[in-house]
């Protein structure tokens, strides 16, 4: 997953901070958590395709958390979207949307699936797909407010391509069988054990979005063992009574939730406009929970670099380059289509890794003041990935020249077609 | 007046253009024409106080022209506004506002005065103050749409202070009588004629806002003899049939309106996202109407520099400096208050003129390709003003050090207190 904060202000925008919204990119589809004013423009500026949005989750009905919704949905309409979109939020969401579209006489070209939660629900799986699910729980704010957790289901272990080849595996179906845990028997009768080739199943990524709430047990439940927790930190401790009164958290509260939930990375957001410098809040949270980070608009956050594909990619990649060369000489049509398909996949991976380095870079800088075992290990890890990322990009460049067509620009919004991930 | 385009996009924002909105600053109060998404943030970034908004005029109910309204109004609520605000727009405006505030349980701390226009109105003075009025006329769009004209009433002529003093005028009441057109008789019996001292009455500034319409007679009526006309130019001539179909204007249409209305300056806006470079549209409009200019977000436009006060200021100003010096030695309380009052006025003037130079600069650059008598005269005029603007600023600087208190920063939003005009 790639998490991109689109707005980090609370209540009212400042000249530098937009209203609350967080986009999560996962395997080509976007999850939007809250949709503050101008979220659609921030997505463009962040290189995220609005057409890729599949779900929008609204925490509660304070203007600053949904004021961008109508604008975004009517833009999707102008883009002639036909895919369904799912809106999740408190009861009344549908009424709100329908009133506003009736008001400006818009009849949508796409379907909206509404998932409405009423005040007395306890916990619900609002989305349940093959690879992930989204869990919702009520929070403790001045009005009915919902927190969300996006959880990937566990993924099968990685196949060690090199080892497999050494043992004589070549066909795709053999790889598939091995991945499914079946042992494969070769012509010469030798049996290749799945366990030798395929690694342990990998636990899924996880991300929790908790905003506009005092400390409450549900926050902890949602954030339990997440890779990344985005939690509001509207005030600092000196204004704890104001936080109590307005139903918000202090940086300390956020750190407390992170501690009890044992999340790997806490990202604080939803800053009161009185803090021109968020690092006041960061410092306070860091005292109680070290791996804390300030949400910066349009700076992507990686749930867990170790889970990003492509650490072993360069080898696979070089192998394919050579193979492709062979094809182009013989000009085999079938293999060509296959190659393109792979190319598509690869492109995505490359993009991913490029981002990753940038994030790891910023992560290093953001916590350069202190030093801890956990941090140094992380940064070293990301250094590694970044290095084999570079030589991979070079190959990518040369490949592009041979193969990829020039990017098409949609006449409507040139930027809209520009998808960096 | 100072006109600040806040957003120049049409239909959907691009990564660089916000949705339609124009702020007009006049003598410390702000008129907002349309309120596209994020208009409130653009105001901050332009150094305009949201608390100074007195009127909001909505042209029509396409989402991109009012999607920022609820956000803005609830921010005013958070700022604990108590002054009334006037909303002008098509029928249904009140229903829309009230539904949305009920929906998020906001009970406003200030009154909203609604002026709603129904589809079959012909022309109406929607605002009528002592110094100005706003006229509205229906336009020709796919849905009911309104154009506006902000017209200052004529102002009395300027008093030639030097000449008056030569003739022995000293008291304020005498100045007042002269200004009111009455002749004044001095102790020695000599009569000072008002006509000798007071110049011709000065015609008021004027500004028209015409967007989302095909060419129509009402546009011309609204724009008649305006100093500045902001007119939409969504497409260029090659897409005129698309413009016809969607009820929009081409750059040529805008120029046609400007020509027939004999406006002094045409500013085109509301650009289709397909034009990454608006100068395509500018060139087209320029061919038919030379004094055309592209609306650039947050770049201020002056309705008519010649009407800006303070061309004679340096003299008055130096005189006052000396006078003040005298006061501070003798420390006369009465004269002090008087001085402060004047100081306030002057500050405003200084600000005005500083902006003016910037605008004239940009105007020069924007039309540097060609050259015409009208243009050269204007630029030379602004050069003059800019020059005596500088030495005036210097005096101003020195004066500030003695007198003005350090600026107060509101804790809520530091930028909110920062009013550049």
């Amino acid at each position: 997953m790639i998490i991109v904060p689109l707005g980090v202000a609370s209540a009212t925008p400042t000249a530098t901070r937009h209203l609350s919204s967080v986009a999560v990119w996962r395997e080509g589809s976007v999850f939007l958590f809250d949709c503050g004013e101008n979220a659609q423009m921030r997505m463009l500026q962040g290189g995220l395709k609005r057409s890729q949005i599949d779900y929008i989750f609204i925490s509660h009905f304070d203007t600053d958390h949904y004021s961008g919704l109508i604008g975004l949905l009517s833009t999707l309409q102008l883009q002639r979207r036909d895919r369904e979109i799912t809106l999740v939020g408190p009861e009344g969401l549908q009424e709100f949307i329908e009133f506003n579209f009736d008001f400006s006489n818009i009849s949508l070209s796409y379907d909206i699936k509404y998932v409405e939660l009423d005040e007395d629900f306890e916990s619900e799986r609002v989305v349940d797909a093959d690879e992930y699910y989204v869990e919702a729980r009520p929070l403790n704010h001045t009005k009915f407010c919902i927190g969300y957790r996006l959880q990937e289901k566990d993924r099968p272990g990685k196949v060690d391509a090199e080892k497999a080849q050494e043992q004589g595996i070549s066909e795709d179906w053999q790889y598939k069988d091995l991945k499914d845990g079946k042992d494969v028997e070769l012509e010469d009768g030798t049996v290749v054990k799945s366990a030798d080739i395929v690694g342990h199943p990998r636990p899924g990524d996880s991300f929790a979005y908790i905003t506009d709430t005092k400390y409450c047990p549900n926050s902890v439940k949602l954030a339990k063992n997440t890779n990344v927790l985005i939690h509001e930190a509207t005030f600092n401790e000196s204004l704890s009574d104001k936080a109590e009164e307005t139903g918000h958290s202090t940086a300390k509260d956020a750190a407390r939730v992170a501690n009890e939930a044992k999340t790997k990375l806490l990202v604080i957001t939803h800053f009161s406009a009185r803090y021109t410098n968020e690092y006041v809040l960061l410092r306070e949270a860091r005292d109680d929970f070290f791996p804390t980070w300030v949400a910066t608009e349009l700076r992507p956050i990686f749930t867990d670099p170790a889970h990003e594909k492509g650490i072993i990619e360069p080898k696979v990649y070089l192998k394919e380059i050579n193979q492709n060369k062979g094809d182009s000489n013989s000009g085999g049509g079938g293999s060509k289509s296959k190659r393109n398909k792979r190319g598509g996949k690869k492109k995505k991976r490359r993009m991913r890794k490029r981002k990753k380095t940038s994030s790891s870079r910023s992560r290093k800088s953001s916590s350069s003041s202190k030093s801890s075992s956990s941090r140094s290990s992380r940064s070293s890890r990301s250094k590694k990935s970044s290095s084999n990322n570079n030589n991979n990009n070079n190959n990518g460049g040369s490949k592009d020249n041979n193969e990829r067509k020039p990017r098409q620009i949609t006449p409507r919004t040139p930027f809209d077609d520009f998808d960096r991930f």
Side-chain angles (χ1 to χ4, degrees), chain A:
Chain A
M1 293 181 208
I2 302 168
I3 300 166
V4 186
L6 301 176
V8 300
S10 71
T12 160
T14 71
T16 53
R17 293 193 203 125
H18 288 72
L19 291 177
S20 299
S21 185
V22 173
V24 177
W25 183 93
R26 185 193 172 281
E27 307 279 332
S29 75
V30 172
F31 304 66
L32 204 58
F33 292 87
D34 277 340
C35 186
E37 204 170 334
N38 219 32
Q40 57 168 327
M41 189 167 178
R42 294 307 267 172
M43 284 190 69
L44 276 179
Q45 294 169 334
L48 286 159
K49 273 188 172 176
R50 293 169 297 190
S51 55
Q52 285 187 329
I53 300 174
D54 286 326
Y55 305 92
I56 302 178
F57 304 89
I58 301 297
S59 64
H60 66 301
F61 290 139
D62 277 340
T63 324
D64 56 318
H65 289 261
Y66 69 91
S67 47
L69 197 51
I70 297 299
L72 174 58
L73 292 176
S74 32
T75 293
L76 296 183
Q77 165 76 5
L78 288 166
Q79 292 178 337
R80 303 188 190 70
R81 179 189 178 105
D82 44 18
R83 229 148 37 80
E84 181 186 74
I85 188 169
T86 306
L87 302 193
V88 184
E91 221 166 8
L93 186 57
Q94 181 164 10
E95 181 199 359
F96 167 75
I97 301 287
E98 282 172 354
F99 171 87
N100 279 282
F101 278 127
D102 292 347
F103 183 73
S104 51
N105 306 325
I106 298 181
S107 58
L108 287 178
S109 62
Y110 57 95
D111 297 331
I112 300 182
K113 184 182 162 207
Y114 294 97
V115 181
E116 295 192 339
L117 299 164
D118 55 357
E119 301 231 359
D120 48 12
F121 92 107
E122 281 179 352
S123 102
E124 194 168 319
R125 214 173 251 213
V126 285
V127 174
D128 198 345
D130 304 344
E131 295 188 330
Y132 55 85
Y133 65 85
V134 176
E135 184 189 351
R137 287 176 183 273
L139 301 174
N140 181 3
H141 188 44
T142 51
K143 65 172 65 173
F144 176 47
C145 181
I146 307 170
Y148 297 97
R149 176 201 183 107
L150 169 56
Q151 175 68 56
E152 271 183 359
K153 298 173 180 175
D154 290 358
R155 290 174 292 180
K158 277 195 186 131
V159 176
D160 184 337
E162 211 171 40
K163 204 166 170 190
Q165 280 167 321
E166 281 167 8
Q167 303 204 13
I169 299 293
S170 53
E171 303 300 324
D172 280 3
W173 65 264
Q174 293 172 319
Y175 279 107
K176 195 179 171 313
D177 282 4
L178 288 170
K179 213 157 187 176
D180 298 347
K182 296 176 204 150
D183 300 345
V184 173
E185 188 174 357
L186 304 176
E187 283 83 6
D188 59 11
T190 55
V191 173
V192 180
K193 286 224 173 65
S194 166
D196 302 344
I197 307 296
V198 184
H200 290 290
R202 293 163 295 167
D205 264 356
S206 52
F207 158 74
Y209 178 75
I210 297 172
T211 189
D212 283 32
T213 180
K214 306 177 206 179
Y215 167 86
C216 69
N218 270 344
S219 313
V220 180
K221 284 178 192 156
L222 282 170
K224 203 77 194 164
N225 299 322
T226 44
N227 286 329
V228 173
L229 161 64
I230 286 200
H231 195 293
E232 70 138 307
T234 314
F235 303 105
N236 65 347
E237 199 50 27
S238 65
L239 290 169
S240 52
D241 43 358
K242 190 163 176 58
E244 177 67 24
E245 167 202 338
T246 56
H248 283 293
S249 298
T250 64
K252 247 188 167 36
D253 295 331
R256 179 181 170 193
V257 173
N259 264 320
E260 295 179 7
K262 298 197 168 34
T263 182
K264 291 204 187 65
L265 177 69
L266 166 65
V267 179
I268 54 173
T269 182
H270 202 265
F271 310 115
S272 160
R274 60 168 58 69
Y275 302 103
T276 41
N277 176 355
E278 311 87 355
Y279 294 94
V280 181
L281 300 161
L282 178 62
R283 259 183 256 106
E284 189 175 293
R286 277 259 172 98
D287 292 343
D288 295 3
F289 185 78
F290 180 75
T292 304
W293 196 6
V294 163
T296 310
E297 291 185 11
L298 303 190
R299 181 196 286 170
I301 303 161
F302 286 74
T303 47
D304 185 352
H307 278 179
E308 296 298 325
K309 296 202 202 96
I311 301 257
I312 57 152
E313 187 174 350
K315 299 172 203 143
V316 179
Y317 193 77
L318 292 169
K319 178 173 132 279
E320 284 199 10
I321 288 275
N322 306 337
Q323 190 196 46
N324 294 341
K325 284 221 187 76
D327 293 348
S328 50
N329 300 347
S330 64
S335 56
K336 191 162 193 167
S337 68
K338 185 165 129 210
R339 182 204 322 161
N340 291 346
K341 208 162 83 271
R342 285 227 197 103
K345 278 211 219 77
K346 262 202 311 303
K347 177 183 166 196
K348 198 179 277 175
R349 291 203 207 106
R350 269 210 307 285
M351 298 309 190
R352 280 265 206 70
K353 296 218 303 325
R354 190 174 303 147
K355 280 268 151 245
K356 184 168 61 204
T357 47
S358 76
S359 84
S360 57
R361 217 181 293 113
S362 47
R363 187 175 292 161
K364 263 175 275 171
S365 66
S366 75
S367 55
S368 56
S369 54
K370 296 190 181 187
S371 155
S372 86
S373 62
S374 76
R375 220 188 93 266
S376 53
S377 72
R378 186 190 286 113
S379 56
S380 65
R381 195 208 289 132
S382 43
K383 268 202 217 75
K384 207 191 302 129
S385 62
S386 71
S387 64
N388 62 28
N389 171 19
N390 297 340
N391 53 36
N392 175 27
N393 279 346
N394 305 344
N395 305 344
S398 61
K399 189 160 187 301
D400 294 351
N401 305 344
N402 317 338
E403 280 205 356
R404 212 195 296 150
K405 295 186 204 70
R407 156 169 294 129
Q408 272 200 346
I409 300 291
T410 329
R412 163 155 279 105
T413 69
F415 291 90
D416 202 21
D417 191 48
F418 165 53
D419 175 8
R420 190 177 299 132
F421 295 154

